[in-house]
Amino acid sequence: MRCLKCQNKAIIELQHGPLCENHFVFYFEDKVYKTFKKYQMLAPQDKICVAVSGGKDSQTVLHLIKKYFLKNRWPAENIFALAIDEGISPYRPSTLADLKKFCKKEKIKLTIVSAQKEFGSTLDKALKKLKNAQLRPCHICGVWRRYLLNKYARKLKATKIITGHNLDDEAQATLMNLFKANVNLAAHLGPVSGVQEDTHFVQRIKPLYFCAEKETKLYSLLQKFPVHFQECPYAEEGYRAHIRNFLNDFEQKYAGTKQGIIKSYLHLLPLLKAKAKEKNSRPQACPRCGEAANAGHCKVCQINELLKNEN
Ligand code: SF4
Ligand code: ZN
C-alpha cells in the first residue's frame, strides 16, 4: 500500500486513501487544528483545564493543545491537566503513572483529585458495598468524574474543560441517547458541549471529535507517548460496551458508519439545542454540597448517602 500523497509506504488506510507516516501526522494535526478554529474552541486568554486519564486520547489532546498554544505564541503556562483517581485497581494507578511521566516530559502542571479523599471511598470499595443497589460501575464513575472535574476546574479558575473524547466515543454516546430516548442529554453532546451558559458548569470542548479511535491510537504510538493501552476492568460491563462492539462490527462491514452517525447528529444538533433551551431547565444548587442538581440532592450526594447507610 502506497501513500496517496507521496507514494512512500503507507501505514494507515483512511476513507480518502492510504497515508505514510509523515502525511498521516500532518493530516491528523491539521484536522485537530481545524476543529479548534471552526468551533472557536480556544482563545489566548483562556485558562485551559485538560481532563486527563493517562490514556492515548488525553495525552494526544494535551500534547496538541500545548503545541497549538506555542505555535500561536499564546501563554502555554495557562494549560494544566486535571485527573480524577476514582480508585480502580490496578488500572488507574498504572494510567496515572503514565500520565505523570508524560506531564513531566511536556512540562505541564498536573493535579490529581482522589475519590477516596473527596468521598471517603474508592470506586472498587463502593461497588462492593452497593452490590444490591444495582448501580453500574460506569454510572457511579461517570457521576463522580463529572462532579469532581467541574468542581476542581472551577476552583482552579479554568475557563474551559478540554476532554479527549474521540469520534468513536461520540458516535457511541449519540446512539446510546437515541436508543434510550434521552433527547435532552443528546442536546449536550457535540464538539462544544452545553445548551446554555450556567455558572455551575465550565464549558466542555472536544477537539478530537472528528478523530477516529484508530487514528488517535496510531498518532500516540508514532509520538511515542508513554501509554500502555490498558482497558478499565469495568469497561465490558456497561450498556456502552454493547454499543461499542455493535458499532465496531458495523464499521468493519460498512466503512464510514461512525462518521455518518456524527454527521447526521451535527445536522440535528441546532434543533436539539433549541428544544432543550425552550424547556429552560436550569440546574439548581444541591442543598447539601452546592453543586448542580436537577431536583433535590445532586447525584453524587445521593450515591454518597447510599454509601454512608452501608457503613
Ligand atoms: Fe469509569 Fe466505566 Fe470508564 Fe471504567 S469504563 S473508567 S468504570 S466510566
Ligand atoms: Zn450534592
Side-chain angles (χ1 to χ4, degrees):
M1 214 168 44
R2 297 275 144 198
C3 172
L4 93 144
K5 302 266 182 198
C6 68
Q7 294 304 305
N8 279 341
K9 188 172 168 254
I11 56 164
I12 188 167
E13 184 162 22
L14 300 171
Q15 249 192 309
H16 60 276
L19 290 176
C20 68
E21 179 173 337
N22 285 343
H23 280 110
F24 168 72
V25 169
F26 179 82
Y27 151 86
F28 184 82
E29 293 186 349
D30 188 55
K31 181 155 69 169
V32 178
Y33 294 163
K34 279 183 179 145
T35 310
F36 286 154
K37 281 192 195 142
K38 181 169 178 193
Y39 293 93
Q40 297 173 347
M41 291 179 161
L42 303 169
Q45 68 278 11
D46 269 332
K47 183 146 190 211
I48 302 289
C49 166
V50 186
V52 284
S53 64
K56 62 182 190 320
D57 301 311
S58 54
Q59 292 192 23
T60 296
V61 82
L62 202 44
H63 172 78
L64 287 177
I65 287 191
K66 180 150 185 212
K67 201 166 169 180
Y68 189 75
F69 262 62
L70 293 175
K71 196 167 103 111
N72 287 298
R73 296 174 192 272
W74 293 354
E77 60 278 12
N78 284 353
I79 303 165
F80 68 93
L82 177 59
I84 309 300
D85 179 1
E86 320 87 339
I88 305 172
S89 191
Y91 164 72
R92 188 56 76 212
S94 166
T95 67
L96 289 178
D98 289 344
L99 184 61
K100 283 179 197 161
K101 254 189 238 160
F102 176 82
C103 287
K104 195 172 169 203
K105 188 166 167 260
E106 297 254 347
K107 296 191 181 64
I108 293 172
K109 192 172 173 285
L110 168 67
T111 301
I112 300 176
V113 178
S114 128
Q116 174 67 51
K117 279 200 195 131
E118 286 285 322
F119 305 135
S121 175
T122 61
L123 184 66
D124 291 338
K125 282 194 264 175
L127 290 169
K128 278 194 193 120
K129 278 192 191 167
L130 301 177
K131 12 181 215 303
N132 298 326
Q134 297 204 323
L135 291 174
R136 297 231 173 238
C138 297
H139 173 74
I140 303 178
C141 182
V143 168
W144 279 2
R145 290 176 63 78
R146 273 194 298 279
Y147 181 95
L148 292 176
L149 278 178
N150 207 50
K151 180 175 164 186
Y152 277 83
R154 271 197 344 248
K155 206 166 167 178
L156 298 166
K157 307 221 174 328
T159 52
K160 308 253 169 74
I161 296 178
I162 309 272
T163 66
H165 290 96
N166 60 39
L167 184 128
D168 291 49
D169 300 324
E170 292 300 299
Q172 290 157 16
T174 304
L175 278 198
M176 281 163 74
N177 286 326
L178 187 69
F179 286 6
K180 292 188 168 199
N182 286 333
V183 180
N184 258 347
L185 278 183
H188 290 271
L189 295 175
V192 176
S193 319
V195 171
Q196 55 204 354
E197 284 187 15
D198 187 281
T199 48
H200 287 105
F201 295 112
V202 183
Q203 191 171 46
R204 287 183 182 232
I205 311 278
K206 298 167 193 158
L208 304 184
Y209 192 84
F210 299 101
C211 303
E213 174 131 9
K214 69 171 185 183
E215 295 176 21
T216 55
K217 185 171 183 186
L218 181 58
Y219 184 78
S220 65
L221 281 169
L222 294 172
Q223 298 296 318
K224 300 193 172 46
F225 293 150
V227 185
H228 283 90
F229 302 101
Q230 308 152 76
E231 266 233 326
C232 170
Y234 303 120
E236 283 305 317
E237 288 189 29
Y239 189 77
R240 184 183 279 266
H242 294 290
I243 299 272
R244 187 188 55 205
N245 296 340
F246 155 75
L247 259 181
N248 285 346
D249 194 38
F250 225 78
E251 179 75 36
Q252 211 176 6
K253 287 186 190 125
Y254 309 102
T257 297
K258 293 172 190 170
Q259 284 209 25
I261 293 171
I262 290 302
K263 266 193 196 158
S264 311
Y265 170 75
L266 288 177
H267 277 299
L268 295 173
L269 186 56
L271 293 175
L272 292 171
K273 286 203 181 200
K275 195 144 183 62
K277 221 172 189 171
E278 253 173 42
K279 279 196 159 181
N280 199 23
S281 53
R282 280 188 183 275
Q284 309 293 314
C286 167
R288 183 163 299 162
C289 69
E291 289 294 314
N294 284 334
H297 291 137
C298 72
K299 284 183 184 161
V300 165
C301 286
Q302 289 174 26
I303 292 173
N304 293 355
E305 187 62 27
L306 288 176
L307 277 173
K308 218 166 72 193
N309 293 337
E310 292 296 324
N311 272 335

PDB file of all heavy atoms in Angstrom, residues 11 21 32 34 44 56 64 77 90 116 129 131 133 144 179 191 209 244 256 269-270 278 284-285 287 291:
ATOM      1  N   ILE A  11       1.022   3.692   6.149  1.00  0.00           N
ATOM      2  CA  ILE A  11       0.879   2.994   7.437  1.00  0.00           C
ATOM      3  C   ILE A  11      -0.576   2.926   7.889  1.00  0.00           C
ATOM      4  O   ILE A  11      -0.895   2.270   8.869  1.00  0.00           O
ATOM      5  CB  ILE A  11       1.740   3.641   8.554  1.00  0.00           C
ATOM      6  CG1 ILE A  11       1.380   5.129   8.683  1.00  0.00           C
ATOM      7  CG2 ILE A  11       3.218   3.459   8.325  1.00  0.00           C
ATOM      8  CD1 ILE A  11       1.887   5.710   9.982  1.00  0.00           C
ATOM      9  N   GLU A  21       3.639   7.762   7.138  1.00  0.00           N
ATOM     10  CA  GLU A  21       3.748   8.316   8.497  1.00  0.00           C
ATOM     11  C   GLU A  21       3.693   9.846   8.491  1.00  0.00           C
ATOM     12  O   GLU A  21       2.890  10.445   9.207  1.00  0.00           O
ATOM     13  CB  GLU A  21       5.054   7.822   9.141  1.00  0.00           C
ATOM     14  CG  GLU A  21       5.230   8.372  10.529  1.00  0.00           C
ATOM     15  CD  GLU A  21       6.420   7.775  11.269  1.00  0.00           C
ATOM     16  OE1 GLU A  21       6.872   6.665  10.927  1.00  0.00           O
ATOM     17  OE2 GLU A  21       6.886   8.452  12.215  1.00  0.00           O
ATOM     18  N   VAL A  32      -7.207  18.401  13.785  1.00  0.00           N
ATOM     19  CA  VAL A  32      -7.481  18.904  15.142  1.00  0.00           C
ATOM     20  C   VAL A  32      -7.395  20.436  15.155  1.00  0.00           C
ATOM     21  O   VAL A  32      -8.270  21.117  15.717  1.00  0.00           O
ATOM     22  CB  VAL A  32      -6.513  18.280  16.176  1.00  0.00           C
ATOM     23  CG1 VAL A  32      -6.758  18.846  17.571  1.00  0.00           C
ATOM     24  CG2 VAL A  32      -6.680  16.764  16.196  1.00  0.00           C
ATOM     25  N   LYS A  34      -7.943  22.458  12.719  1.00  0.00           N
ATOM     26  CA  LYS A  34      -9.122  22.992  12.009  1.00  0.00           C
ATOM     27  C   LYS A  34     -10.354  22.954  12.917  1.00  0.00           C
ATOM     28  O   LYS A  34     -11.220  23.823  12.856  1.00  0.00           O
ATOM     29  CB  LYS A  34      -9.392  22.212  10.726  1.00  0.00           C
ATOM     30  CG  LYS A  34      -8.495  22.671   9.587  1.00  0.00           C
ATOM     31  CD  LYS A  34      -8.826  21.933   8.311  1.00  0.00           C
ATOM     32  CE  LYS A  34      -7.927  22.418   7.179  1.00  0.00           C
ATOM     33  NZ  LYS A  34      -7.569  21.358   6.247  1.00  0.00           N
ATOM     34  N   PRO A  44      -6.473  33.157  23.355  1.00  0.00           N
ATOM     35  CA  PRO A  44      -5.197  33.329  24.061  1.00  0.00           C
ATOM     36  C   PRO A  44      -5.356  33.565  25.561  1.00  0.00           C
ATOM     37  O   PRO A  44      -4.486  33.194  26.346  1.00  0.00           O
ATOM     38  CB  PRO A  44      -4.572  34.553  23.382  1.00  0.00           C
ATOM     39  CG  PRO A  44      -5.554  35.072  22.410  1.00  0.00           C
ATOM     40  CD  PRO A  44      -6.638  34.073  22.228  1.00  0.00           C
ATOM     41  N   LYS A  56      -4.379   7.195  25.691  1.00  0.00           N
ATOM     42  CA  LYS A  56      -3.886   7.773  24.432  1.00  0.00           C
ATOM     43  C   LYS A  56      -4.595   9.079  24.061  1.00  0.00           C
ATOM     44  O   LYS A  56      -3.983  10.012  23.562  1.00  0.00           O
ATOM     45  CB  LYS A  56      -4.041   6.757  23.299  1.00  0.00           C
ATOM     46  CG  LYS A  56      -5.493   6.398  23.054  1.00  0.00           C
ATOM     47  CD  LYS A  56      -5.660   5.365  21.979  1.00  0.00           C
ATOM     48  CE  LYS A  56      -7.098   5.183  21.578  1.00  0.00           C
ATOM     49  NZ  LYS A  56      -8.113   5.207  22.630  1.00  0.00           N
ATOM     50  N   LEU A  64      -1.402  18.281  21.773  1.00  0.00           N
ATOM     51  CA  LEU A  64      -1.764  19.147  20.645  1.00  0.00           C
ATOM     52  C   LEU A  64      -2.216  20.541  21.091  1.00  0.00           C
ATOM     53  O   LEU A  64      -1.982  21.520  20.389  1.00  0.00           O
ATOM     54  CB  LEU A  64      -2.837  18.477  19.780  1.00  0.00           C
ATOM     55  CG  LEU A  64      -2.302  17.320  18.932  1.00  0.00           C
ATOM     56  CD1 LEU A  64      -3.408  16.646  18.154  1.00  0.00           C
ATOM     57  CD2 LEU A  64      -1.207  17.815  17.979  1.00  0.00           C
ATOM     58  N   GLU A  77       1.606  28.351  29.790  1.00  0.00           N
ATOM     59  CA  GLU A  77       1.511  28.088  31.245  1.00  0.00           C
ATOM     60  C   GLU A  77       0.056  28.152  31.712  1.00  0.00           C
ATOM     61  O   GLU A  77      -0.265  27.772  32.837  1.00  0.00           O
ATOM     62  CB  GLU A  77       2.409  29.035  32.059  1.00  0.00           C
ATOM     63  CG  GLU A  77       2.144  30.518  31.955  1.00  0.00           C
ATOM     64  CD  GLU A  77       2.777  31.175  30.712  1.00  0.00           C
ATOM     65  OE1 GLU A  77       3.241  30.438  29.809  1.00  0.00           O
ATOM     66  OE2 GLU A  77       2.766  32.413  30.642  1.00  0.00           O
ATOM     67  N   PRO A  90      -5.939  -2.570  39.462  1.00  0.00           N
ATOM     68  CA  PRO A  90      -4.679  -1.824  39.379  1.00  0.00           C
ATOM     69  C   PRO A  90      -4.632  -0.878  38.177  1.00  0.00           C
ATOM     70  O   PRO A  90      -3.594  -0.309  37.874  1.00  0.00           O
ATOM     71  CB  PRO A  90      -3.648  -2.943  39.187  1.00  0.00           C
ATOM     72  CG  PRO A  90      -4.385  -3.974  38.372  1.00  0.00           C
ATOM     73  CD  PRO A  90      -5.838  -3.883  38.753  1.00  0.00           C
ATOM     74  N   GLN A 116     -11.253   8.758  46.981  1.00  0.00           N
ATOM     75  CA  GLN A 116     -11.111   8.305  48.377  1.00  0.00           C
ATOM     76  C   GLN A 116     -11.062   9.517  49.309  1.00  0.00           C
ATOM     77  O   GLN A 116     -11.748   9.560  50.330  1.00  0.00           O
ATOM     78  CB  GLN A 116      -9.831   7.453  48.494  1.00  0.00           C
ATOM     79  CG  GLN A 116      -9.463   7.029  49.903  1.00  0.00           C
ATOM     80  CD  GLN A 116     -10.462   6.043  50.519  1.00  0.00           C
ATOM     81  OE1 GLN A 116     -10.800   5.032  49.908  1.00  0.00           O
ATOM     82  NE2 GLN A 116     -10.953   6.354  51.706  1.00  0.00           N
ATOM     83  N   LYS A 129     -19.798  -2.401  48.307  1.00  0.00           N
ATOM     84  CA  LYS A 129     -20.812  -2.021  49.297  1.00  0.00           C
ATOM     85  C   LYS A 129     -22.197  -1.905  48.681  1.00  0.00           C
ATOM     86  O   LYS A 129     -23.191  -2.188  49.323  1.00  0.00           O
ATOM     87  CB  LYS A 129     -20.451  -0.655  49.883  1.00  0.00           C
ATOM     88  CG  LYS A 129     -19.431  -0.717  50.982  1.00  0.00           C
ATOM     89  CD  LYS A 129     -19.399   0.637  51.643  1.00  0.00           C
ATOM     90  CE  LYS A 129     -18.222   0.768  52.575  1.00  0.00           C
ATOM     91  NZ  LYS A 129     -18.027   2.156  52.971  1.00  0.00           N
ATOM     92  N   LYS A 131     -23.566  -3.486  46.099  1.00  0.00           N
ATOM     93  CA  LYS A 131     -23.918  -4.527  45.110  1.00  0.00           C
ATOM     94  C   LYS A 131     -25.422  -4.728  44.977  1.00  0.00           C
ATOM     95  O   LYS A 131     -25.899  -5.080  43.919  1.00  0.00           O
ATOM     96  CB  LYS A 131     -23.277  -5.887  45.306  1.00  0.00           C
ATOM     97  CG  LYS A 131     -22.596  -6.319  46.427  1.00  0.00           C
ATOM     98  CD  LYS A 131     -22.072  -7.739  46.223  1.00  0.00           C
ATOM     99  CE  LYS A 131     -22.122  -8.507  47.513  1.00  0.00           C
ATOM    100  NZ  LYS A 131     -21.366  -7.857  48.589  1.00  0.00           N
ATOM    101  N   ALA A 133     -27.654  -2.329  45.182  1.00  0.00           N
ATOM    102  CA  ALA A 133     -28.328  -1.105  44.700  1.00  0.00           C
ATOM    103  C   ALA A 133     -28.475  -1.089  43.179  1.00  0.00           C
ATOM    104  O   ALA A 133     -29.105  -0.188  42.620  1.00  0.00           O
ATOM    105  CB  ALA A 133     -27.572   0.126  45.167  1.00  0.00           C
ATOM    106  N   TRP A 144     -19.255  10.647  39.534  1.00  0.00           N
ATOM    107  CA  TRP A 144     -18.132  11.160  40.337  1.00  0.00           C
ATOM    108  C   TRP A 144     -17.195  12.015  39.497  1.00  0.00           C
ATOM    109  O   TRP A 144     -16.777  13.087  39.903  1.00  0.00           O
ATOM    110  CB  TRP A 144     -17.334   9.998  40.943  1.00  0.00           C
ATOM    111  CG  TRP A 144     -17.931   9.406  42.179  1.00  0.00           C
ATOM    112  CD1 TRP A 144     -19.105   9.766  42.779  1.00  0.00           C
ATOM    113  CD2 TRP A 144     -17.375   8.346  42.980  1.00  0.00           C
ATOM    114  NE1 TRP A 144     -19.314   8.986  43.883  1.00  0.00           N
ATOM    115  CE2 TRP A 144     -18.272   8.111  44.048  1.00  0.00           C
ATOM    116  CE3 TRP A 144     -16.228   7.567  42.893  1.00  0.00           C
ATOM    117  CZ2 TRP A 144     -18.040   7.136  45.019  1.00  0.00           C
ATOM    118  CZ3 TRP A 144     -15.997   6.595  43.864  1.00  0.00           C
ATOM    119  CH2 TRP A 144     -16.885   6.384  44.910  1.00  0.00           C
ATOM    120  N   PHE A 179     -31.073   5.404  21.501  1.00  0.00           N
ATOM    121  CA  PHE A 179     -31.717   4.140  21.896  1.00  0.00           C
ATOM    122  C   PHE A 179     -32.503   4.290  23.191  1.00  0.00           C
ATOM    123  O   PHE A 179     -33.485   3.606  23.417  1.00  0.00           O
ATOM    124  CB  PHE A 179     -30.658   3.039  22.080  1.00  0.00           C
ATOM    125  CG  PHE A 179     -30.084   2.507  20.781  1.00  0.00           C
ATOM    126  CD1 PHE A 179     -30.413   3.086  19.570  1.00  0.00           C
ATOM    127  CD2 PHE A 179     -29.208   1.428  20.779  1.00  0.00           C
ATOM    128  CE1 PHE A 179     -29.880   2.618  18.380  1.00  0.00           C
ATOM    129  CE2 PHE A 179     -28.676   0.944  19.591  1.00  0.00           C
ATOM    130  CZ  PHE A 179     -29.014   1.548  18.392  1.00  0.00           C
ATOM    131  N   PRO A 191     -19.149  18.944  19.588  1.00  0.00           N
ATOM    132  CA  PRO A 191     -17.754  19.355  19.845  1.00  0.00           C
ATOM    133  C   PRO A 191     -17.633  20.389  20.966  1.00  0.00           C
ATOM    134  O   PRO A 191     -16.624  20.464  21.648  1.00  0.00           O
ATOM    135  CB  PRO A 191     -17.307  19.963  18.515  1.00  0.00           C
ATOM    136  CG  PRO A 191     -18.378  19.669  17.526  1.00  0.00           C
ATOM    137  CD  PRO A 191     -19.605  19.260  18.229  1.00  0.00           C
ATOM    138  N   TYR A 209     -13.077  15.355  18.387  1.00  0.00           N
ATOM    139  CA  TYR A 209     -14.435  14.961  17.987  1.00  0.00           C
ATOM    140  C   TYR A 209     -14.468  14.263  16.618  1.00  0.00           C
ATOM    141  O   TYR A 209     -15.253  13.356  16.397  1.00  0.00           O
ATOM    142  CB  TYR A 209     -15.313  16.216  17.949  1.00  0.00           C
ATOM    143  CG  TYR A 209     -16.785  15.939  17.840  1.00  0.00           C
ATOM    144  CD1 TYR A 209     -17.537  15.660  18.970  1.00  0.00           C
ATOM    145  CD2 TYR A 209     -17.423  15.932  16.601  1.00  0.00           C
ATOM    146  CE1 TYR A 209     -18.893  15.393  18.869  1.00  0.00           C
ATOM    147  CE2 TYR A 209     -18.774  15.659  16.497  1.00  0.00           C
ATOM    148  CZ  TYR A 209     -19.498  15.391  17.639  1.00  0.00           C
ATOM    149  OH  TYR A 209     -20.834  15.105  17.546  1.00  0.00           O
ATOM    150  N   ARG A 244     -20.547  -0.249  21.661  1.00  0.00           N
ATOM    151  CA  ARG A 244     -19.219  -0.161  21.052  1.00  0.00           C
ATOM    152  C   ARG A 244     -18.957  -1.386  20.172  1.00  0.00           C
ATOM    153  O   ARG A 244     -18.536  -1.256  19.016  1.00  0.00           O
ATOM    154  CB  ARG A 244     -18.159  -0.070  22.162  1.00  0.00           C
ATOM    155  CG  ARG A 244     -16.764   0.192  21.621  1.00  0.00           C
ATOM    156  CD  ARG A 244     -15.731   0.094  22.708  1.00  0.00           C
ATOM    157  NE  ARG A 244     -15.816  -1.194  23.398  1.00  0.00           N
ATOM    158  CZ  ARG A 244     -15.407  -1.412  24.638  1.00  0.00           C
ATOM    159  NH1 ARG A 244     -14.909  -0.438  25.337  1.00  0.00           N
ATOM    160  NH2 ARG A 244     -15.512  -2.609  25.185  1.00  0.00           N
ATOM    161  N   GLY A 256     -17.302   3.883   7.379  1.00  0.00           N
ATOM    162  CA  GLY A 256     -17.877   5.236   7.360  1.00  0.00           C
ATOM    163  C   GLY A 256     -19.140   5.360   8.203  1.00  0.00           C
ATOM    164  O   GLY A 256     -19.724   6.447   8.292  1.00  0.00           O
ATOM    165  N   LEU A 269     -28.271  18.821  15.630  1.00  0.00           N
ATOM    166  CA  LEU A 269     -27.899  19.457  16.901  1.00  0.00           C
ATOM    167  C   LEU A 269     -28.564  20.825  17.138  1.00  0.00           C
ATOM    168  O   LEU A 269     -29.071  21.064  18.244  1.00  0.00           O
ATOM    169  CB  LEU A 269     -26.363  19.554  17.005  1.00  0.00           C
ATOM    170  CG  LEU A 269     -25.809  20.051  18.332  1.00  0.00           C
ATOM    171  CD1 LEU A 269     -26.292  19.202  19.504  1.00  0.00           C
ATOM    172  CD2 LEU A 269     -24.277  20.067  18.319  1.00  0.00           C
ATOM    173  N   PRO A 270     -28.596  21.737  16.147  1.00  0.00           N
ATOM    174  CA  PRO A 270     -29.248  23.031  16.422  1.00  0.00           C
ATOM    175  C   PRO A 270     -30.706  22.857  16.861  1.00  0.00           C
ATOM    176  O   PRO A 270     -31.174  23.562  17.747  1.00  0.00           O
ATOM    177  CB  PRO A 270     -29.164  23.771  15.074  1.00  0.00           C
ATOM    178  CG  PRO A 270     -28.063  23.098  14.341  1.00  0.00           C
ATOM    179  CD  PRO A 270     -28.029  21.676  14.789  1.00  0.00           C
ATOM    180  N   GLU A 278     -35.854  25.714  25.023  1.00  0.00           N
ATOM    181  CA  GLU A 278     -37.285  26.014  25.236  1.00  0.00           C
ATOM    182  C   GLU A 278     -37.733  25.549  26.615  1.00  0.00           C
ATOM    183  O   GLU A 278     -38.455  26.226  27.313  1.00  0.00           O
ATOM    184  CB  GLU A 278     -38.110  25.212  24.230  1.00  0.00           C
ATOM    185  CG  GLU A 278     -38.711  26.015  23.113  1.00  0.00           C
ATOM    186  CD  GLU A 278     -39.352  25.060  22.125  1.00  0.00           C
ATOM    187  OE1 GLU A 278     -40.008  24.092  22.551  1.00  0.00           O
ATOM    188  OE2 GLU A 278     -39.153  25.279  20.911  1.00  0.00           O
ATOM    189  N   GLN A 284     -30.377  23.419  39.572  1.00  0.00           N
ATOM    190  CA  GLN A 284     -30.435  24.139  40.861  1.00  0.00           C
ATOM    191  C   GLN A 284     -29.177  23.769  41.649  1.00  0.00           C
ATOM    192  O   GLN A 284     -28.490  22.816  41.295  1.00  0.00           O
ATOM    193  CB  GLN A 284     -31.663  23.669  41.660  1.00  0.00           C
ATOM    194  CG  GLN A 284     -32.971  23.695  40.904  1.00  0.00           C
ATOM    195  CD  GLN A 284     -33.405  25.116  40.587  1.00  0.00           C
ATOM    196  OE1 GLN A 284     -33.360  25.971  41.449  1.00  0.00           O
ATOM    197  NE2 GLN A 284     -33.796  25.355  39.337  1.00  0.00           N
ATOM    198  N   ALA A 285     -28.934  24.501  42.740  1.00  0.00           N
ATOM    199  CA  ALA A 285     -27.799  24.134  43.602  1.00  0.00           C
ATOM    200  C   ALA A 285     -28.243  23.032  44.556  1.00  0.00           C
ATOM    201  O   ALA A 285     -29.322  23.119  45.152  1.00  0.00           O
ATOM    202  CB  ALA A 285     -27.333  25.348  44.387  1.00  0.00           C
ATOM    203  N   PRO A 287     -28.818  21.191  47.802  1.00  0.00           N
ATOM    204  CA  PRO A 287     -28.891  21.765  49.150  1.00  0.00           C
ATOM    205  C   PRO A 287     -27.794  21.256  50.084  1.00  0.00           C
ATOM    206  O   PRO A 287     -27.494  21.874  51.094  1.00  0.00           O
ATOM    207  CB  PRO A 287     -30.276  21.333  49.655  1.00  0.00           C
ATOM    208  CG  PRO A 287     -30.740  20.273  48.741  1.00  0.00           C
ATOM    209  CD  PRO A 287     -29.998  20.398  47.445  1.00  0.00           C
ATOM    210  N   GLU A 291     -23.318  21.937  44.556  1.00  0.00           N
ATOM    211  CA  GLU A 291     -23.047  21.698  43.134  1.00  0.00           C
ATOM    212  C   GLU A 291     -24.368  21.554  42.367  1.00  0.00           C
ATOM    213  O   GLU A 291     -25.445  21.503  42.980  1.00  0.00           O
ATOM    214  CB  GLU A 291     -22.187  20.437  42.966  1.00  0.00           C
ATOM    215  CG  GLU A 291     -20.757  20.595  43.441  1.00  0.00           C
ATOM    216  CD  GLU A 291     -19.924  21.579  42.614  1.00  0.00           C
ATOM    217  OE1 GLU A 291     -19.985  21.507  41.378  1.00  0.00           O
ATOM    218  OE2 GLU A 291     -19.245  22.434  43.209  1.00  0.00           O
TER     219      GLU A 291
END
